[in-house]
Amino acid sequence: MSSLKLYTDLVHNLLSLINNAAKIVIFTHQHPDPDAIGSMLALSNLLKAKNSNVVITPVLFESLLPKSQIPQGLSLDSIRVARKESDTKKVKKAVLEADLMFIVDASSYDRVVDNPYILQVLDQMYHKTIIIDHHKTGGSKDALLSFNVQVASCAQLVYEIFVKTLKFPLTTQSALAILFGIMGDTQMLRFLPTNESYVAQYVSELLSFLDKVSPGRVLQNIAKALELKLSLHMVSAFKEAISNLRVNGALAGTFISDVYKSALKDNELGDLRLFILYEILAKMEEIKVYFVVRPDLNKPRRYSVSLRSKGNIDVSLIAQKYGGGGHKNAAGCDINADSAKDAFEIMFKELSSLFEDVVSHV
Ligand SMILES: [Mn+2]
């Protein structure tokens, strides 16, 4: 599923290096974007949550993003911004004392700093540097460890390595930082490559985690920080649909709930449905049958179901059963139910039993 299959040994080397480190410094590239900031803060918070005794110093050699471009609730206080001479001296000291250093979202120190004095110091430190990057550039062969995987964001790698694989405890700050990074580099999942559809699942996991701690506006805050022109209601409905996503083998489905009947216009509901069908569900490689349920704006207790399939699976059969129609791979129907969730459950059950053989094989 994830991109790290080939990195299993490296991940376990990484764990012993971290366990033996008392002081860790983290760098990212200049002109930091949300993924750079998110990856750096996520790593810093994850390391701290795992071992509160370790001294972590995240360093930037220029100013941070403007406050309006940081999601509300994400704290940048731990980052040391080193612009003045006195700051760079402190950074040099931290570097010389460090047991371990990380570069995230970049793979060499010349992307980290311009100042030749400090670059010269850093260039001598690859032997204690771990690189976590997602760009094509090869990185330094002198690095202690290098995770260089070409995926959509560096933040998703941080999540895979530390949370999914090494089981470091997630915190509100690290979850928020990872989401900010993923959503920044993928522009709210719009530019998520086809073979990385599993990242939508990561987003859903992170949102459920954050909803437990502080329910509500997480995604809106991120969209706002990314300056994306989506109405708050659209973002919020999108978030809900991602959280409602259920996958069973090759079957996936979700729903947009009745809350959005008054908040969204008919064309917005339609756009959102298409976005979820074509930009997310269709791109999930393992998924062969998928659907989205949305409320009918004019008729109470009436829900519209859009069904899609890949290959030889005929979803028009199920649409016909409910008085709808369509083609083998794209069909739709309307059903009556007490809520969008009930309509979703009815469909999920129908599709699970109709396509049992296909669905349970993955
Ligand atoms: Mn990036």
Side-chain angles (χ1 to χ4, degrees):
M1 197 80 168
S2 86
S3 49
L4 283 171
K5 271 174 250 156
L6 300 170
Y7 286 77
T8 319
D9 291 345
L10 283 192
V11 170
H12 291 96
N13 288 345
L14 172 66
L15 183 60
S16 71
L17 290 168
I18 290 169
N19 286 340
N20 291 311
K23 292 183 178 179
I24 299 176
V25 183
I26 306 171
F27 298 101
T28 188
H29 59 79
Q30 289 184 291
H31 313 294
D33 55 9
D35 190 35
I37 298 279
S39 299
M40 175 183 245
L41 285 174
L43 178 58
S44 158
N45 281 290
L46 286 164
L47 292 170
K48 201 73 193 170
K50 173 75 176 169
N51 174 7
S52 59
N53 294 322
V54 66
V55 179
I56 318 273
T57 316
V59 178
L60 268 184
F61 290 98
E62 61 184 300
S63 38
L64 297 161
L65 294 170
K67 216 174 168 187
S68 64
Q69 290 175 28
I70 300 293
Q72 206 186 331
L74 183 63
S75 166
L76 278 64
D77 295 348
S78 64
I79 298 180
R80 181 172 299 169
V81 181
R83 270 175 300 178
K84 296 185 300 253
E85 176 106 25
S86 57
D87 298 330
T88 51
K89 282 203 175 115
K90 280 185 201 146
V91 170
K92 184 184 170 186
K93 186 169 179 284
V95 163
L96 293 173
E97 287 175 356
D99 303 302
L100 213 52
M101 289 154 56
F102 282 90
I103 307 176
V104 293
D105 204 28
S107 48
S108 60
Y109 283 114
D110 54 11
R111 295 265 292 117
V112 168
V113 65
D114 279 335
N115 179 332
Y117 161 76
I118 196 86
L119 182 56
Q120 201 183 8
V121 176
L122 291 178
D123 270 338
Q124 305 304 311
M125 298 298 164
Y126 279 108
H127 65 282
K128 55 180 180 183
T129 299
I130 295 166
I131 291 166
I132 303 176
D133 191 20
H134 69 119
H135 298 101
K136 213 167 187 169
T137 47
S140 171
K141 56 184 181 324
D142 303 326
L144 182 56
L145 281 182
S146 185
F147 297 86
N148 216 306
V149 195
Q150 276 181 60
V151 288
S153 67
C154 185
Q156 77 194 58
L157 285 178
V158 171
Y159 185 60
E160 283 180 3
I161 296 171
F162 294 92
V163 182
K164 304 291 274 189
T165 311
L166 293 177
K167 313 284 180 207
F168 279 29
L170 202 56
T171 61
T172 312
Q173 285 296 311
S174 51
L176 193 51
I178 293 164
L179 263 182
F180 184 45
I182 292 175
M183 293 309 210
D185 267 16
T186 64
Q187 292 287 291
M188 301 287 284
L189 301 179
R190 283 190 186 90
F191 301 124
L192 190 64
T194 5
N195 56 353
E196 288 174 49
S197 49
Y198 54 85
V199 176
Q201 195 57 46
Y202 295 173
V203 167
S204 166
E205 291 165 14
L206 291 161
L207 285 171
S208 326
F209 178 84
L210 287 167
D211 264 352
K212 269 181 223 133
V213 194
S214 60
R217 304 179 61 89
V218 175
L219 255 189
Q220 287 94 318
N221 289 339
I222 290 176
K224 201 169 150 200
L226 297 172
E227 297 176 316
L228 292 175
K229 288 187 183 64
L230 283 178
S231 76
L232 286 188
H233 291 309
M234 279 285 268
V235 176
S236 150
F238 169 69
K239 178 209 118 145
E240 197 217 60
I242 293 291
S243 315
N244 291 340
L245 179 67
R246 189 186 299 166
V247 177
N248 175 14
L251 168 66
T254 189
F255 61 96
I256 302 164
S257 72
D258 303 82
V259 182
Y260 299 99
K261 277 177 91 160
S262 53
L264 293 180
K265 297 187 196 83
D266 202 48
N267 65 321
E268 288 179 318
L269 270 176
D271 285 353
L272 190 60
R273 185 200 62 190
L274 292 177
F275 182 79
I276 295 164
L277 279 175
Y278 291 106
E279 297 299 325
I280 298 180
L281 301 181
K283 292 183 173 180
M284 296 187 167
E285 248 175 41
E286 304 81 3
I287 301 305
K288 304 245 169 10
V289 184
Y290 49 105
F291 72 100
V292 173
V293 171
R294 52 154 283 196
D296 187 307
L297 290 191
N298 305 311
K299 298 177 196 136
R301 301 185 63 252
R302 189 93 174 143
Y303 298 90
S304 132
V305 185
S306 306
L307 296 144
R308 299 291 182 272
S309 67
K310 295 173 194 165
N312 252 334
I313 302 168
D314 188 353
V315 285
S316 69
L317 299 172
I318 201 103
Q320 278 160 25
K321 183 174 168 186
Y322 285 89
H327 308 280
K328 187 171 80 177
N329 295 130
C333 57
D334 291 327
I335 64 175
N336 294 321
D338 284 334
S339 67
K341 181 158 190 342
D342 285 353
F344 165 82
E345 296 293 352
I346 292 169
M347 263 306 134
F348 204 90
K349 209 170 151 201
E350 283 279 7
L351 291 162
S352 298
S353 60
L354 186 59
F355 301 117
E356 200 182 2
D357 51 331
V358 192
V359 164
S360 55
H361 267 310
V362 179

